[in-house]
Amino acid sequence: MSAALARVPGSLTGQLVTPGDRRYAQLRSTYTTTASPAGILLPKNAAQVVAAIRYAREQRLPIAVRSGGHGLSGAGSNNGGLVIDLSMLNRVQVLDERSGLVRVEAGARWANVAAALAPYGLVISSGDYGNVGVGGLATGGGVGWLVRSSGLTIDRVRAVEVVLADGTQVRADAEHEPELFWLVRGAGAGAGIVVAFEIEATEQRNVGVAQLVVEAHPDGRTVREWADYLAQAPRELSAGAVLYAEGRSALMSITAVVAAESLRRARPAVEPLLALGKLLEHRTDLLPYPALVPTAHLRPNVGQQRGTTTNGLFTGLDDAGARALMRAVTGPGRAVVQLRSVGGAINDVAPDATAYAHRHQSTLVVASVFPPQGGAALDSAWRGVAGRADGAYVNFESRPDPTAFARIYPGETGVRVRRLWRRYDPDGVFRPALLTARPARSGQPARSSQPARAGEPARSGQSARSGQPHRRRR
C-alpha cells in the first residue's frame, strides 16, 4: 500500500483495493480505457460513500466514480487517484407493485434490474446492454429499447438519494430539493454521487423483437426512409440501427422492439422496415424483456473496447444529411454509425423539466471509430454531419469539453447546469470535464484544466452510458 493510502479509516477497512490486490486488474479500468488508480474503494452503503469522499478529499486525491464503467470518456476511473466503485450498492426493491415504484441502487446492472422485475411483470426502459450500470445511465438520460413508449429513463425517476461533495446525504424529489432533482436528471455527473433512484416502472412482460439486415443504398435513401418512418411510427415501436461498411457498400443492421404482448400486434409496426432495402436477414420473435439485456452480458470492464465516439440529435434527416452519413460510413474514416429512435414519449416532457433539454428531435446519430483510427478520422468522417445536428447527448461523447457542453446543454439549460454544479460542488470535487477540460485538438483526448488534476482522465460524478456502441465482430 502506498504512503498516500496508509490512513484508511476504520469504516472502510477491507473496502480498499490497491495494485497489489488480485482484484485490482478487474476493477482498475473502464469499458473503453485502461487506467491505473492508486486505489479503488468498494462502499457497501451510503455511509461508506460519505467516508470514501471524505477520505479522498483529506488525501487530496482526484476522485472518479463508477457505477458500471461503460462511460465513453473513461470518467469511471483515473490515474493516481481514487475510484469510488458503486458495484456493491446493487439492490433492487419493488416499493409499490401497484404503482410500479422501484428503488434501484446505482451500482446495479440493468441485466440484474430486468431479472429482478420480471416476476412482477415490470420493466424499466434502460440502456441496450445488460452490463451497463444504473448510475451513469440514470443521471445522463437513458435511451432504451422502450424509449418511444416509456420515455427516457430519467423521465421515470421520481426521487434520488445523493451524497454531495461535502458528505451531506440528501433525498431529492419534485417537492424536496427540486433544483437538485432537476439537475440529476440529465446532468448528474457534476452534482455528487447518486446512490439510489426511485423509478416508476411500466407493466410489460414480453416484447416483439425484429432483427433484420438490409443493404443501405449509397445515396442515403435507406437511412432517410428509416428516420422518416420512426419519426411517425406507433409509439410502441422503438428501434436502433447500425450502419457499417461491407467492402465497397454498406449494410444496415436493425433491431426493432415493439412494446406488445403478441406477435399479432408487433408485426404490423415492424413491417415497413422490411421494405427499406434489399433484405438479407430477418426474424421476428416474441421475447421476455430480460432477453434484450440478459445476465449473459455481465462481465468485468477492462478496457476491452477502445474507440472514439461523438453524436448528434436530429429533428429530421433530409437527403443531404442522409448522404453525409453514408459518406461517414464508407469514406476514408470508416466510422460505424448507430441510429437510435427518440421522439415519442420523450417529447411529451417540457424542455425545461429536466437537465435533458432535447424534447423535439426524432433521431439520435452516434458515430464511432476504432483503432488504429482515432479522433482525427472521426472528425473527418463526422464533419459533413455535425453542422446538421440539433443538440447532443452526454452519454455518447467520448471527448467531453466546453464545446461539447454547449451542444449537450444548450442556452438557458446550460446556464442553469453550470450554476447548480457550482452550488452543489463548489470545490469541483466531481466537476465534469465538460466544464474543466480544454477543447481537444483533433484526435487528442480532453485534459483537465485544474492544476491539481493535470493529466488525469476526465472525471464525473457518475460514469455515463446508454446503449454503448459496440464494434461489430465478424
Side-chain angles (χ1 to χ4, degrees):
M1 183 181 295
S2 69
L5 298 181
R7 297 186 297 276
V8 178
S11 61
L12 295 173
T13 300
Q15 305 307 114
L16 178 64
V17 175
T18 55
D21 191 304
R22 61 181 175 79
R23 296 171 292 173
Y24 183 81
Q26 301 295 306
L27 297 170
R28 62 186 288 189
S29 301
T30 72
Y31 184 70
T32 61
T33 59
T34 302
S36 298
I40 301 126
L41 283 161
L42 296 164
K44 296 179 179 179
N45 51 51
Q48 288 189 344
V49 172
V50 172
I53 294 171
R54 288 177 176 168
Y55 171 66
R57 297 195 68 177
E58 288 167 1
Q59 300 300 305
R60 300 182 63 82
L61 290 173
I63 298 174
V65 181
R66 178 172 61 224
S67 56
H70 275 266
L72 293 178
S73 68
S77 192
N78 61 29
N79 293 313
L82 272 173
V83 176
I84 300 177
D85 183 306
L86 303 177
S87 58
M88 298 187 77
L89 283 88
N90 56 19
R91 289 169 284 274
V92 181
Q93 179 185 5
V94 176
L95 301 177
D96 186 337
E97 188 173 349
R98 177 172 295 182
S99 68
L101 191 64
V102 180
R103 182 180 183 272
V104 184
E105 292 185 336
R109 308 292 175 117
W110 288 110
N112 301 125
V113 175
L117 297 185
Y120 299 92
L122 297 173
V123 302
I124 297 172
S125 185
S126 57
D128 64 4
Y129 197 63
N131 199 35
V132 177
V134 167
L137 183 137
T139 54
V143 181
W145 286 123
L146 302 176
V147 64
R148 296 185 69 250
S149 61
S150 295
L152 300 171
T153 306
I154 61 170
D155 296 339
R156 293 278 175 170
V157 173
R158 300 295 176 253
V160 291
E161 300 166 28
V162 188
V163 178
L164 300 179
D166 64 1
T168 303
Q169 297 183 56
V170 180
R171 175 184 167 86
D173 57 28
E175 296 181 357
H176 306 93
E177 296 285 348
E179 287 286 85
L180 179 60
F181 186 54
W182 179 90
L183 181 65
V184 299
R185 291 175 298 155
I193 299 180
V194 181
V195 296
F197 304 81
E198 290 182 11
I199 304 175
E200 186 179 321
T202 56
E203 292 185 21
Q204 192 80 37
R205 292 189 181 275
N206 300 308
V207 288
V209 180
Q211 296 177 298
L212 54 147
V213 178
V214 300
E215 288 186 357
H217 199 282
D219 69 2
R221 73 181 69 168
T222 310
V223 171
R224 180 179 53 77
E225 290 174 2
W226 182 92
D228 287 349
Y229 175 59
L230 264 297
Q232 52 83 42
R235 286 191 174 196
E236 290 76 17
L237 175 67
S238 300
V242 179
L243 282 164
Y244 55 93
E246 187 75 24
R248 295 182 178 180
S249 60
L251 299 182
M252 190 174 189
S253 177
I254 300 170
T255 300
V257 178
V258 186
E261 296 285 354
S262 69
L263 286 177
R264 180 181 59 81
R265 287 187 55 203
R267 284 191 173 115
V270 170
E271 190 171 350
L273 297 173
L274 307 182
L276 290 177
K278 182 179 179 180
L279 190 63
L280 304 179
E281 299 176 21
H282 168 233
R283 64 176 296 162
T284 300
D285 301 287
L286 188 69
L287 300 173
Y289 178 80
L292 289 173
V293 285
T295 54
H297 287 169
L298 298 174
R299 58 180 59 88
N301 290 312
V302 292
Q304 67 265 41
Q305 186 64 89
R306 299 176 185 273
T308 310
T309 297
T310 193
N311 75 93
L313 286 153
F314 294 79
T315 53
L317 281 173
D318 59 13
D319 290 341
R323 284 195 298 270
L325 280 179
M326 292 304 299
R327 288 193 296 270
V329 172
T330 59
R334 290 273 164 155
V336 175
V337 169
Q338 182 182 173
L339 308 174
R340 296 298 301 265
S341 63
V342 287
I346 295 178
N347 295 356
D348 292 341
V349 179
D352 61 354
T354 69
Y356 182 98
H358 308 292
R359 302 294 183 169
H360 63 274
Q361 297 91 335
S362 58
T363 305
L364 170 64
V365 180
V366 184
S368 303
V369 297
F370 304 95
Q373 301 278 45
L378 179 61
D379 292 342
S380 176
W382 187 247
R383 192 167 292 121
V385 182
R388 303 174 185 278
D390 180 19
Y393 174 41
V394 67
N395 284 4
F396 278 131
E397 181 55 61
S398 64
R399 296 177 293 177
D401 60 31
T403 303
F405 181 98
R407 295 184 289 116
I408 296 165
Y409 304 114
E412 289 302 312
T413 297
V415 172
R416 191 175 177 185
V417 167
R418 288 173 184 268
R419 174 170 53 82
L420 293 176
W421 276 350
R422 291 184 170 116
R423 176 198 294 183
Y424 291 108
D425 183 14
D427 297 327
V429 174
F430 301 117
R431 192 160 295 153
L434 286 162
L435 284 188
T436 62
R438 300 184 185 96
R441 291 177 296 169
S442 177
Q444 298 296 316
R447 292 180 179 269
S448 171
S449 63
Q450 293 175 276
R453 301 180 180 182
E456 295 297 329
R459 288 175 265 325
S460 71
Q462 311 276 150
S463 62
R465 177 197 184 271
S466 170
Q468 172 76 37
H470 291 268
R471 190 175 189 182
R472 184 174 185 265
R473 292 178 174 84
R474 294 181 226 164

